[in-house]
Amino acid sequence: MSSEGSTKAIVAALGANLGIAVTKFVAFLLTSSSAMLAESIHSVADSGNQALLLVGGRRAKRRADPEHPFGYGQERYLYAFLVAIVLFSLGGLFALYEAWHKISEPHPIESWQWVPVVVLVVAIGLESLSLRTAVRESNAVRGNAGWVRFVRRSKSPELPVVLLEDLGALLGLVFALVGVGLTLITGNGVWDGVGTAAIGVLLVVIAIVLAAEVKSLLIGESATPEDLRRIREALVAVPDVETVIHMRTLHMGPEDLLVAAKIAVGPEDSAADVARAIDAAEERIRAAVPIAGHIYIEPDLLRAGAPADPAAPDAPSTGEGSGSGDAPSAG
């Protein structure tokens, strides 16, 4: 996924949220609407989240060192997980607390009644522009995948995070507008609290979804099925490689993939033949999947009558090789 596209979407969302947060706070000070306060805190939380994503992207670019030999690419996953925590606590739980307080002691909006409506309508327009930017940048990289699959399968956390945040912000504004509108129409401040509660529930749900998806990336995900297919095809295309006994892949970052494979070579091949085969395999893998930054290949022999399963490149080893272990040696 393009880092430039992710950054563009983050900056667009950050600019929109900062402007919206200021206007919402002014509206809250004038009207004492709990929905406006919840939305103000929501926008502040979103702005902080976008700042976290930018910091994570910057820190992930640091060079590998002896303490972190595979680099810092996974920092992007860590900061995305922090976003989910902030959204859950500062956004969702605060809104639910404010809703409980407002429903327990409802107060109508008695002054500056037009202000929250105008602010919310303008905010909906700004959030729509931010969401449109995130959708456009996501369309450039998601291919034919549906939106749910894109969010669940993306190896880069920024665009899915911004997409869900912007969608949540837009729905939250609609909830706030409904709550404030019903309060103004009926004179009953309970509706303001109900709108606030809806915002809180929405933010908690989005935070849980984000946390679950980013957690999977944080603990380590394999390459996409398409990249696995390309790697396998690259390996078996090498003349001296009979088949792939087993293969493991791990994303060390959105654009940094570790590949470890055990390949079967002929019993008559010399050490020089095997070395040339490994070099050719590495070259073909990098040509097929450019993000494969770390490649480890172990040669082995197949036992007669126990071929590897080509349909399961990432399945556990069935012990077909004659080697003593699965640990790959560096190519």
Side-chain angles (χ1 to χ4, degrees):
M1 177 174 293
S2 170
S3 296
E4 181 181 353
S6 299
T7 302
K8 186 176 181 180
I10 294 170
V11 171
L14 177 60
N17 281 315
L18 286 174
I20 292 171
V22 173
T23 56
K24 286 176 181 175
F25 266 123
V26 172
F28 162 69
L29 293 175
L30 293 175
T31 63
S32 298
S33 167
S34 66
M36 294 307 303
L37 178 59
E39 276 298 306
S40 301
I41 298 300
H42 179 190
S43 293
V44 171
D46 280 353
S47 300
N49 288 341
Q50 276 110 44
L52 284 173
L53 292 177
L54 291 173
V55 171
R58 184 178 181 84
R59 290 180 62 85
K61 294 178 181 179
R62 290 180 294 169
R63 292 173 179 253
D65 53 42
E67 188 174 2
H68 299 90
F70 291 107
Y72 292 83
Q74 289 178 317
E75 290 236 32
R76 289 169 66 178
Y77 301 149
L78 172 62
Y79 278 83
F81 191 77
L82 292 178
V83 165
I85 295 175
V86 171
L87 194 62
F88 180 84
S89 57
L90 188 57
L93 294 186
F94 177 83
L96 290 174
Y97 167 78
E98 185 63 23
W100 172 79
H101 179 73
K102 187 69 174 184
I103 293 173
S104 300
E105 300 179 11
H107 299 286
I109 301 175
E110 299 176 340
S111 59
W112 299 91
Q113 295 180 335
W114 57 271
V115 170
V117 175
V118 172
V119 168
L120 289 171
V121 170
V122 172
I124 287 174
L126 292 175
E127 284 291 357
S128 298
L129 292 175
S130 175
L131 179 60
R132 186 181 69 174
T133 300
V135 169
R136 185 172 62 245
E137 297 301 328
S138 298
N139 282 334
V141 295
R142 73 183 178 97
N144 297 324
W147 287 108
V148 174
R149 181 176 177 82
F150 172 69
V151 170
R152 295 195 62 186
R153 301 300 182 188
S154 175
K155 305 303 181 182
S156 180
E158 290 86 0
L159 281 178
V161 168
V162 173
L163 275 171
L164 288 176
E165 275 194 344
D166 284 352
L167 180 61
L170 197 56
L171 291 175
L173 288 168
V174 172
F175 293 158
L177 185 60
V178 171
V180 169
L182 289 174
T183 297
L184 293 175
I185 293 172
T186 64
N188 188 349
V190 169
W191 290 112
D192 193 19
V194 171
T196 306
I199 294 170
V201 172
L202 173 68
L203 295 182
V204 167
V205 170
I206 290 177
I208 291 173
V209 171
L210 278 179
E213 297 305 324
V214 177
K215 184 204 74 169
S216 180
L217 292 168
L218 193 59
I219 64 177
E221 285 191 358
S222 67
T224 63
E226 179 64 19
D227 282 346
L228 288 173
R229 181 187 62 79
R230 290 174 180 171
I231 294 170
R232 170 169 285 276
E233 290 177 351
L235 285 170
V236 298
V238 177
D240 290 326
V241 175
E242 295 183 358
T243 188
V244 178
I245 298 174
H246 69 71
M247 183 168 65
R248 302 289 184 272
T249 59
L250 178 67
H251 267 274
M252 308 304 298
E255 287 106 24
D256 187 10
L257 181 66
L258 182 149
V259 179
K262 178 180 283 191
I263 59 173
V265 296
E268 72 283 354
D269 290 345
S270 66
D273 293 333
V274 172
R276 281 193 297 268
I278 291 176
D279 291 340
E282 289 180 353
E283 184 177 349
R284 287 177 181 269
I285 290 173
R286 290 195 171 96
V289 183
I291 65 172
H294 311 279
I295 302 174
Y296 298 87
I297 299 176
E298 178 184 0
D300 206 342
L301 301 177
L302 278 177
R303 291 179 182 175
D309 180 9
D314 239 15
S317 174
T318 54
E320 302 93 335
S322 61
S324 60
D326 287 345
S329 56

